[in-house]
Amino acid sequence: MKTAAIIGGGVIGGGWAARFLLNGWDVRVFDPDPEAERKIGEVLANARRSLPGLGNVALPAEGRLSYHATIVEAVAGAVWIQESVPERLELKQKVYGALQAYVAADAIIGSSTSGYKPSQLQDGFNNAAQIVVAHPFNPVYLMPLVELVTTEVNPANVIDSAKAIITEIGMYPLHLKKEIDAHVADRFLEAVWREALWLVKDGIATTEEIDNAIRYGFGIRWAQMGLFETYRVAGGEAGMKHFMAQFGPALKWPWTKLMDVPEFTDELVDLIAGQSDDQSGHHSIRALERIRDDNLVGMMRALGANDWGAGALQNAHDAGREGEAGLVRSMDGLEDLSQPVLTQSRIVPLDWTDYNGHMTESRYLDAFAQSTDRLMMIIGCDAEYIASGGSYFTAETHIRHIDEVHAGDPIQVRTRVIMGQGKKMHLWHEMYSGERLLATGEHMLLHVDLATRRSAPPAAHIEANLAKLAEAHASLAAPEGLGRAIGAPR
Ligand SMILES: NC(=O)C1=CN([C@@H]2O[C@H](COP(=O)(O)OP(=O)(O)OC[C@H]3O[C@@H](n4cnc5c(N)ncnc54)[C@H](O)[C@@H]3O)[C@@H](O)[C@H]2O)C=CC1
Ligand SMILES: C[N+](C)(C)CC(=O)CC(=O)[O-]
């Protein structure tokens, strides 16, 4: 089991603790705040609610969380130390002094700093080679980006290990080519924030109207294509060059105030805070966090369906986790052909539930369809085969809902081949949470030629694999409920 030490467990340190813990790492925390345990507990509760269902493959079992009275105790055995103390250079350097004395020589020390350059943190320490900036985004347990900033004193093996660990916990290491104050993303955030403060101060728009300008407009676009790809599309068929020719000159017009910062007078602070209270004061911060998390999970899962942006990143992370979750991609991976095939192992995501507070009916079909997709892949009807023109279409489905399941619960689907002959594939899926049977799905599929859209025999290797599974599964007792239908009223 790998161990991470969290030095400073506030908003960001708590998020890092949750991210490591839910990805199976042991986490040791040092924070002198007597309220730290309670605060981290609340962040962790939100993380447990949202992160496990973000992907389509179950996460490993949670690691162990412990709190320690000193830095020296907290860093014992840690291979990653994440410093997230307040953004004050002299405080961070004091912490690095202690870390220099106690951290293992091969451990990595990441700083969450939003603005300091790694050279400012490394300065004067004989273990500078171990110190990097690993700047995350709030909430750390859901947002994938980590800006990894290094200097010439960090050797390649430290940088490679840092990238590998960040990737292992489901995040994306954006390694900057050189260090710069506030890295990449915070420079944008500062520019946008500065401009927004002017717009409020000058009475052009309220905090709520500015937020609407973002969330009804460019904010949604940025979440999926970023800045440059969005503008490339906005240039029409002529693309980026046309876009630059058309809108480049505006950069020199007085559209923005950029470096000019409004003074934080009491009047301006009251104006902004008052408008923010009017806009959102009816929600507690924890409630707003949950609304934010629900939306982030929903958006990232929607991007995943298109294998795009943060969703594509999550899909790649899922693919790397399949083996540990017991999922296979080919017949070679099946240890015992006579047993039903594990075709899904996941946590019920937040966006799969409904007004009745449980997994909604359409998601049972979604889950069973994903299990069918995996079985198709296992017998050889994979992306390459489908691109060559053959696939299966579902002709008939019968789902029985046997027991409830809720967001955050683990589910597994085990699949039997009832019949696999010629064009026909008859599947039986059983969905469990632990030992509890939740639902069954019976599906008849037909192999089709994608060019003619008509049924046609599958390739020989697919037919052979299907027959092998059907024969092996025939030795099991017939599943209870097989062939059932609602039936016409008498
Ligand atoms: N809040 C945000 O949106 C983001 C913050 N960051 C960065 O993360 C770092 C932490 O920021 P937040 O979590 O927002 O601050 P915070 O104020 O919520 O948490 C800081 C924590 O550090 C603890 N602390 C203070 N002195 C300490 C010491 N000597 N040793 C161990 N713990 C100590 C405090 O008790 C507190 O719990 C900063 O460098 C900040 O720039 C990075 C990304 C986003
Ligand atoms: C405001 N902030 C500079 C601390 C923000 C960040 O560093 C990243 C984030 O989560 O927005």
Side-chain angles (χ1 to χ4, degrees):
M1 185 69 76
K2 290 186 200 152
T3 301
I6 302 297
I7 309 301
V11 172
I12 293 305
W16 275 110
R19 174 67 86 162
F20 277 107
L21 203 64
L22 295 182
N23 277 283
W25 284 53
D26 285 346
V27 171
R28 301 167 70 86
V29 179
F30 169 66
D31 189 316
D33 179 0
E35 290 284 292
E37 201 166 331
R38 176 189 62 78
K39 290 184 189 163
I40 291 179
E42 288 178 19
V43 175
L44 198 50
N46 278 350
R48 286 191 178 117
R49 183 180 164 271
S50 55
L51 177 65
L54 180 62
N56 292 324
V57 177
L59 290 175
E62 258 187 43
R64 277 172 305 164
L65 175 63
S66 54
Y67 294 89
H68 301 273
T70 59
I71 285 190
V72 57
E73 277 176 38
V75 300
V79 296
W80 184 282
I81 293 95
Q82 186 68 28
E83 168 275 304
S84 306
V85 304
E87 188 77 346
R88 297 202 316 270
L89 191 55
E90 83 294 347
L91 174 62
K92 289 195 186 278
Q93 283 172 337
K94 206 171 129 209
V95 168
Y96 286 101
L99 292 177
Q100 174 176 251
Y102 305 127
V103 161
D106 55 354
I108 296 175
I109 304 170
S111 173
S112 297
T113 179
S114 300
Y116 296 119
K117 294 180 284 201
S119 57
Q120 293 173 280
L121 305 173
Q122 295 166 341
D123 192 24
F125 294 114
N126 59 23
N127 67 340
Q130 293 177 269
I131 302 171
V132 300
V133 165
H135 175 239
F137 289 76
N138 190 35
V140 182
Y141 52 83
L142 286 181
M143 302 287 277
L145 182 62
V146 177
E147 292 179 298
L148 176 65
V149 198
T150 57
T151 69
E152 61 292 340
V153 308
N154 297 117
N157 67 319
V158 167
I159 297 171
D160 290 347
S161 302
K163 286 182 185 170
I165 289 173
I166 291 167
T167 307
E168 183 197 319
I169 58 172
M171 301 177 92
Y172 175 75
L174 178 71
H175 187 203
L176 268 57
K177 301 215 167 6
K178 334 180 187 169
E179 62 171 10
I180 182 171
D181 296 306
H183 330 309
V184 170
D186 273 356
R187 297 180 74 88
F188 295 136
L189 293 180
E190 290 275 310
V192 173
W193 192 33
R194 211 179 278 123
E195 196 57 38
L197 291 172
W198 276 116
L199 292 170
V200 177
K201 180 176 163 45
D202 291 350
I204 311 294
T206 63
T207 57
E208 183 166 9
E209 287 162 344
I210 288 169
D211 285 350
N212 287 344
I214 296 172
R215 62 188 163 187
Y216 299 155
F218 66 89
I220 312 179
R221 277 195 325 223
W222 279 3
Q224 51 84 49
M225 276 195 175
L227 178 67
F228 287 108
E229 203 163 44
T230 296
Y231 280 175
R232 178 186 178 83
V233 177
E237 286 179 11
M240 200 63 176
K241 284 196 172 159
H242 174 64
F243 185 85
M244 290 180 77
Q246 186 169 202
F247 297 107
L251 291 173
K252 296 199 176 145
W253 301 343
W255 278 15
T256 63
K257 299 202 183 185
L258 283 182
M259 290 315 295
D260 198 4
V261 183
E263 203 185 324
F264 272 28
T265 58
D266 289 348
E267 196 189 352
L268 180 61
V269 172
D270 288 346
L271 179 68
I272 303 262
Q275 288 189 3
S276 174
D277 287 347
D278 291 346
Q279 180 186 349
S280 318
H282 54 292
H283 296 295
S284 70
I285 292 297
R286 295 290 176 226
L288 280 173
E289 284 174 348
R290 284 190 287 276
I291 293 167
R292 173 202 64 191
D293 292 356
D294 289 358
N295 293 334
L296 288 173
V297 168
M299 287 192 292
M300 283 194 268
R301 288 186 52 73
L303 288 169
N306 281 341
D307 204 26
W308 193 262
L313 198 69
Q314 181 63 41
N315 290 345
H317 184 58
D318 285 351
R321 287 223 20 81
E322 285 176 0
E324 212 185 309
L327 296 164
V328 303
R329 293 183 157 237
S330 70
M331 295 287 285
D332 296 341
L334 295 176
E335 275 174 16
D336 181 356
L337 280 193
S338 73
Q339 291 307 304
V341 181
L342 180 71
T343 49
Q344 196 154 170
S345 176
R346 64 172 317 131
I347 301 295
V348 177
L350 285 170
D351 64 338
W352 277 23
T353 53
D354 62 17
Y355 46 82
N356 290 327
H358 59 194
M359 186 161 122
T360 201
E361 60 178 326
S362 60
R363 298 304 185 172
Y364 287 82
L365 180 55
D366 196 343
F368 286 141
Q370 289 183 40
S371 284
T372 299
D373 288 350
R374 182 163 296 271
L375 193 98
M376 283 166 57
M377 188 201 304
I378 289 171
I379 59 172
C381 186
D382 53 13
E384 198 184 328
Y385 178 80
I386 293 169
S388 79
S391 187
Y392 281 92
F393 286 1
T394 303
E396 192 170 339
T397 297
H398 183 235
I399 293 176
R400 295 185 310 152
H401 299 272
I402 292 163
D403 203 348
E404 288 188 302
V405 69
H406 304 101
D409 289 345
I411 52 176
Q412 291 199 324
V413 178
R414 297 190 197 112
T415 302
R416 284 172 61 170
V417 178
I418 303 296
M419 189 262 280
Q421 225 172 40
K423 304 170 196 173
K424 289 186 180 169
M425 175 162 73
H426 183 171
L427 299 181
W428 176 259
H429 298 301
E430 289 182 352
M431 183 188 291
Y432 291 89
S433 188
E435 294 304 308
R436 216 157 44 89
L437 179 64
L438 304 173
T440 63
E442 189 173 354
H443 307 257
M444 178 59 81
L445 295 103
L446 293 176
H447 187 272
V448 289
D449 177 333
L450 288 173
T452 62
R453 319 300 285 178
R454 296 194 173 280
S455 62
H461 69 286
I462 291 180
E463 193 166 2
N465 285 336
L466 251 188
K468 224 186 267 179
L469 280 176
E471 192 186 326
H473 292 168
S475 61
L476 301 166
E480 190 278 315
L482 181 69
R484 275 265 294 276
I486 295 176
R490 275 179 257 172

